[in-house]
Amino acid sequence: MFVSKLIRSMVIIIIACILLKIIQFLLKNLFKITKFDERYEDTLCSVLCSVSYYIMFCLSVILILREFEIVDATAFGSIVTGASIVGIVAGVASQSILKDIFNGFFILFEKQIHVGDFIVINEEFKGNVEEVGIRSVSLRDWDLKRITIPNGNINSIRNYSKDVMRVIVHVRVSYEEDPMKVLESLQEVCNIMNEKYKDYLVKLRPSSYLGFKVYGITDIEKISIGAKYTITGVVTSEKYFAILREAKLQVLIVFKKNNIKIGYPTNINILSNEDNINEEL
């Protein structure tokens, strides 16, 4: 008797797994024919797959409990007993689970993240969003490690994939260099970037300047290093990191061509006359 119940329970689990795979397959193919944004489609598919998983899990548990006569839909006492057990378990876990679900709902409703976005969570975890669920978010970091964060633990999100971003490049230059020569060299860098990435440059307003420009000198307080110069440019988010790396590379190339020295920390030692006399002796 027990063996037959165990076999039927295993059959329930197998059928649930098969149905789950079928549902996930249908969802993925359904979103292929829709006309939503690709990242939005991937996010919806990820959420619906997560919801279907929890639904199949709950149904499987109920059917298995019914097989072992722990829960019986025809007996009121069994329902009450089963409900009591569920209530006890839910009472222990509900606080964190509900927090995860509610926080996840607002993240999805406000479209804070999509599958494929590069984000930083809580100023600690960063990577590409691989899966968005009703209880957690999964990232794939630079080392290809998968990081899963419960939605209830998410306090802040920095999204690097929201349409447009501003590339900001700071460079420290020695005070010995001619400021006008440095500004001209940085303008040369901007011209190169504007020509090379003109298809990815955007402007925030119709009247705003399109592309990279020299922002100017932004700091002269660190005397031991040099003056800080800044260039900026507004670009589409998908090319942000590639353009940022290229801009830094072009700064080094142009500075080397124009014989401009990058600033670096220096120490000046002043010797008194007595020290000089002692050294000569």
Side-chain angles (χ1 to χ4, degrees):
M1 189 68 177
F2 177 79
V3 176
S4 62
K5 292 181 178 179
L6 186 61
I7 293 173
R8 286 196 293 270
S9 299
M10 293 179 64
V11 171
I12 290 172
I13 294 173
I14 293 172
I15 293 174
C17 292
I18 294 173
L19 288 175
L20 184 62
K21 292 293 184 182
I22 293 174
I23 292 172
Q24 292 175 347
F25 174 78
L26 292 175
L27 286 172
K28 290 179 181 179
N29 283 273
L30 174 64
F31 281 108
K32 287 181 180 180
I33 61 176
T34 58
K35 297 182 179 179
F36 297 119
D37 178 75
E38 184 177 353
R39 291 184 301 171
Y40 187 57
E41 289 178 355
D42 293 338
T43 304
L44 284 178
C45 184
S46 176
V47 173
L48 292 176
C49 287
S50 176
V51 171
S52 63
Y53 170 80
Y54 286 109
I55 291 175
M56 294 304 299
F57 176 79
C58 293
L59 289 175
S60 300
V61 170
I62 292 173
L63 291 174
I64 291 172
L65 291 176
R66 185 179 179 184
E67 283 295 330
F68 287 93
E69 299 179 352
I70 297 175
V71 174
D72 187 358
T74 62
F76 180 75
S78 298
I79 294 175
V80 173
T81 303
S84 300
I85 296 173
V86 173
I88 292 172
V89 175
V92 175
S94 62
Q95 185 175 0
S96 61
I97 292 176
L98 289 176
K99 184 179 179 182
D100 293 340
I101 293 175
F102 277 110
N103 204 28
F105 171 78
F106 286 112
I107 290 174
L108 294 170
F109 180 74
E110 296 173 356
K111 298 181 182 180
Q112 297 180 22
I113 58 175
H114 292 124
V115 172
D117 288 356
F118 183 86
I119 64 173
V120 178
I121 293 179
N122 298 341
E123 303 298 328
E124 180 180 2
F125 307 104
K126 59 183 176 180
N128 291 97
V129 179
E130 194 167 77
E131 184 178 343
V132 179
I134 58 173
R135 286 204 60 238
S136 62
V137 172
S138 295
L139 308 178
R140 186 73 66 175
D141 69 3
W142 181 255
D143 297 325
L144 297 182
K145 295 192 294 291
R146 185 181 171 96
I147 305 171
T148 301
I149 304 102
N151 292 331
N153 293 344
I154 298 177
N155 298 318
S156 66
I157 298 175
R158 272 199 290 144
N159 195 328
Y160 287 82
S161 303
K162 283 293 185 181
D163 300 329
V164 298
M165 291 192 66
R166 189 187 301 278
V167 173
I168 303 175
V169 178
H170 303 292
V171 58
R172 290 275 179 182
V173 180
S174 172
Y175 288 108
E176 298 175 357
E177 300 293 342
D178 181 3
M180 298 309 298
K181 182 180 179 182
V182 175
L183 292 174
E184 290 173 1
S185 297
L186 289 175
Q187 184 60 53
E188 183 180 347
V189 172
C190 292
N191 294 338
I192 293 172
M193 295 302 297
N194 288 335
E195 177 61 28
K196 189 171 184 178
Y197 292 99
K198 57 184 177 182
D199 294 333
Y200 301 100
L201 302 175
V202 296
K203 45 186 177 180
L204 300 178
R205 297 181 301 275
S207 61
S208 64
Y209 182 78
L210 176 63
F212 278 81
K213 64 179 181 179
V214 180
Y215 191 77
I217 300 175
T218 51
D219 184 26
I220 56 173
E221 295 180 358
K222 295 185 178 180
I223 305 300
S224 62
I225 299 178
K228 183 168 76 172
Y229 297 77
T230 302
I231 62 174
T232 65
V234 181
V235 302
T236 55
S237 59
E238 69 270 16
K239 282 290 185 179
Y240 170 77
F241 290 104
I243 294 177
L244 177 63
R245 291 192 298 269
E246 181 67 22
K248 293 179 179 179
L249 175 62
Q250 291 299 329
V251 168
L252 294 178
I253 292 173
V254 172
F255 275 23
K256 184 175 182 180
K257 183 187 72 171
N258 296 337
N259 295 319
I260 297 176
K261 296 180 180 179
I262 299 290
Y264 56 89
T266 56
N267 293 319
I268 301 175
N269 296 323
I270 300 176
L271 300 176
S272 64
N273 292 331
E274 293 181 357
D275 293 332
N276 293 330
I277 294 174
N278 290 334
E279 286 181 0
E280 292 176 359
L281 294 175

